[in-house]
Amino acid sequence: MAVVKRGARLVILGKQGAGKGTQGERLCRHFNTQHLSTGQLFRDSAAVGVPAGLQAKEYMDRGELVPDEIVVDVVKERFSNPAEVQHGFVLDGFPRTANQAEQLDQILGDEHPLDLVIDLDVPTEKAIERLLGRGREDDTRESIRRRLELYESETKPLIDLYRGRGLLVQVDGIGDEDDVFKRLLDAIDAPGEIS
Ligand code: ADP
């Protein structure tokens, strides 16, 4: 298994409320890479009135997935500069469907494949508790229910896909932020083992 170092290309999978955003940012600081959250990109671009962001917001407010074409375009644009790919990244919230995973492979090409995919795991009840506490605009009970349903049907299958490719590590996302981060670093150092 690849030794993950500076410039690593990582994906964080995990259901809503698993802590992908928080831990993703910490991993980026640690590995000196960029954090790319598709949800955050859409929120930022909707806030300044960018058409793709406004279009995405209609789906996000209902807890639906933004259509693949829109999401993939945003990621493609971000990675159109090869330096962005070479310097590494933590992708958070993408890919979220099997089609997005395929498109990501194409965007990265054979030269810069993913180094590791992390599944940050928390039980659903815990995730709901965290999301309701967070109170983001799209964190209504109905939207949360729908997003978790879509996580199960669309995103969870990616765990097996990446496991089959020998890229997956699973990390328990319960506990305080520092403990989870330590677990993540341990898992990254010793991929293949469940921590
Ligand atoms: P959460 O993980 O809590 O849903 P995110 O910020 O990751 O928060 O995503 C917020 C919303 O943005 C999602 O509910 C979805 O509508 C949209 N979104 C983000 N990433 C994607 C993606 N890869 N594919 C489709 N929709 C996405």
Side-chain angles (χ1 to χ4, degrees):
M1 176 78 70
V3 178
V4 178
K5 287 249 161 12
R6 271 171 157 256
R9 291 179 293 275
L10 306 178
V11 164
I12 306 198
L13 294 177
K15 59 173 77 86
Q16 291 71 12
K20 299 190 296 289
T22 309
Q23 299 296 341
E25 270 176 29
R26 292 185 69 155
L27 285 173
C28 285
R29 283 201 294 277
H30 185 85
F31 288 112
N32 195 22
T33 53
Q34 57 155 336
H35 185 207
L36 181 51
S37 154
T38 40
Q40 194 57 49
L41 270 180
F42 290 138
R43 280 188 290 279
D44 292 346
S45 54
V48 294
V50 174
L54 293 173
Q55 225 181 331
K57 190 173 185 308
E58 291 180 22
Y59 295 90
M60 294 166 74
D61 287 346
R62 287 183 307 189
E64 295 298 332
L65 288 176
V66 175
D68 283 352
E69 309 82 70
I70 301 179
V71 190
V72 170
D73 270 359
V74 163
V75 175
K76 255 192 203 152
E77 194 185 313
R78 186 67 179 257
F79 285 161
S80 59
N81 174 358
E84 295 273 339
V85 178
Q86 278 157 20
H87 292 154
F89 51 78
V90 174
L91 266 178
D92 154 9
F94 183 91
R96 240 172 165 106
T97 64
N99 178 42
Q100 291 180 12
E102 263 175 46
Q103 304 268 348
L104 176 62
D105 286 342
Q106 286 184 17
I107 294 170
L108 296 178
D110 294 339
E111 267 182 66
H112 304 291
L114 292 176
D115 292 306
L116 204 65
V117 176
I118 299 161
D119 173 32
L120 192 57
D121 187 42
V122 296
T124 301
E125 311 76 69
K126 183 77 194 166
I128 294 174
E129 184 189 310
R130 286 184 182 172
L131 292 170
L132 287 173
R134 182 171 76 174
R136 211 171 64 196
E137 204 185 328
D138 59 340
D139 288 337
T140 60
R141 272 190 191 274
E142 181 50 28
S143 157
I144 290 170
R145 189 196 59 74
R146 182 64 183 144
R147 275 142 70 205
L148 289 169
E149 193 175 271
L150 285 167
Y151 170 79
E152 293 294 322
S153 63
E154 302 296 320
T155 311
K156 209 172 166 192
L158 300 185
I159 293 178
D160 281 341
L161 176 98
Y162 287 121
R163 184 184 286 118
R165 286 164 55 173
L167 287 176
L168 190 82
V169 290
Q170 282 180 300
V171 175
D172 178 2
I174 292 288
D176 91 35
E177 218 183 285
D178 289 345
D179 290 342
V180 174
F181 187 61
K182 277 191 207 111
R183 257 179 248 149
L184 276 168
L185 292 183
D186 285 349
I188 289 170
D189 274 344
E193 289 168 29
I194 305 215
S195 56

